[in-house]
C-alpha cells in the first residue's frame, strides 16, 4: 500500500489519489478528528461543502466538527464517505465469527473460498 503525502489546503498530492477514486466505487475516509477528512472532501469537490475547523491551540488536537456520516458524489462518479473523527482503529479477524454465526453457509464452495481469502488477507495485514 503506497503512502501518499498530501495537503488538501495546498492541493499537494491530490492528483496522486485520483487513480483510487473510480466511478461507481465508494471510499470511506477515516481518521482522528482534525486530520483533514472534510477538508479533503471540499478539495475534491472544488468548493466548501463540509464545515471544517482548526485544531485546538492548547493541545493541538482536532475538534469534532463533522458529527454525521455523509456520502459525496465526486464529478467523476466516485463516492466519498466523510465520517466523524474516531479515537482508534483495530483490525479484526472475521473468520472465527463467520464460522460461529453461519456454520451451514460456510459449507458452500463459493463461501468457503471467500472465508479462505478473508483469513489469508487478515493474517497478511496483521503480520
Amino acid at each position: 500500500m503506497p503512502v501518499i503525502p498530501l495537503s488538501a489546503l495546498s492541493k499537494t498530492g491530490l492528483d496522486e489519489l485520483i487513480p483510487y477514486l473510480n466511478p461507481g466505487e465508494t471510499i470511506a475516509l477515516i481518521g482522528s478528528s482534525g486530520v483533514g477528512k472534510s477538508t479533503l472532501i471540499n478539495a475534491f469537490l472544488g468548493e466548501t461543502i463540509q464545515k471544517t475547523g482548526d485544531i485546538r491551540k492548547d493541545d493541538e488536537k482536532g475538534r469534532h466538527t463533522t458529527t454525521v456520516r455523509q456520502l459525496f458524489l465526486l464529478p467523476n462518479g466516485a463516492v466519498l464517505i466523510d465520517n466523524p473523527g474516531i479515537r482508534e482503529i483495530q483490525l479484526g479477524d472475521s473468520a472465527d465469527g463467520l464460522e460461529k454465526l453461519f456454520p451451514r453457509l460456510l459449507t458452500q464452495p463459493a463461501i468457503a473460498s471467500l472465508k479462505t481469502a478473508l483469513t489469508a488477507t487478515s493474517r497478511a495485514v496483521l503480520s
Side-chain angles (χ1 to χ4, degrees):
M1 173 83 52
V3 175
I4 302 171
L6 60 93
S7 168
L9 295 175
S10 70
K11 310 279 191 269
T12 304
L14 293 181
D15 288 342
E16 293 182 57
L17 293 178
I18 298 297
Y20 300 98
L21 303 173
N22 299 310
E25 292 184 5
T26 303
I27 306 269
L29 301 177
I30 56 174
S32 300
S33 295
V35 298
K37 297 177 300 293
S38 296
T39 303
L40 192 59
I41 296 277
N42 291 339
F44 278 116
L45 292 174
E47 60 183 304
T48 302
I49 300 292
Q50 283 293 79
K51 182 179 174 187
T52 62
D54 293 328
I55 59 171
R56 296 189 301 250
K57 298 214 183 290
D58 59 337
D59 63 2
E60 297 184 354
K61 292 192 176 188
R63 303 169 195 252
H64 291 283
T65 306
T66 302
T67 57
V68 297
R69 286 166 192 80
Q70 287 185 280
L71 293 171
F72 293 92
L73 181 63
L74 297 183
N76 76 342
V79 177
L80 288 177
I81 300 175
D82 193 9
N83 286 292
I86 56 174
R87 296 203 192 308
E88 70 178 283
I89 300 172
Q90 293 184 359
L91 297 173
D93 182 0
S94 62
D96 290 337
L98 289 174
E99 287 177 4
K100 290 176 185 172
L101 289 174
F102 305 105
R104 285 191 307 165
L105 183 63
L106 289 174
T107 62
Q108 302 299 315
I111 301 298
S113 296
L114 177 61
K115 178 192 172 269
T116 301
L118 284 172
T119 302
T121 301
S122 179
R123 286 188 183 128
V125 169
L126 293 174
S127 60

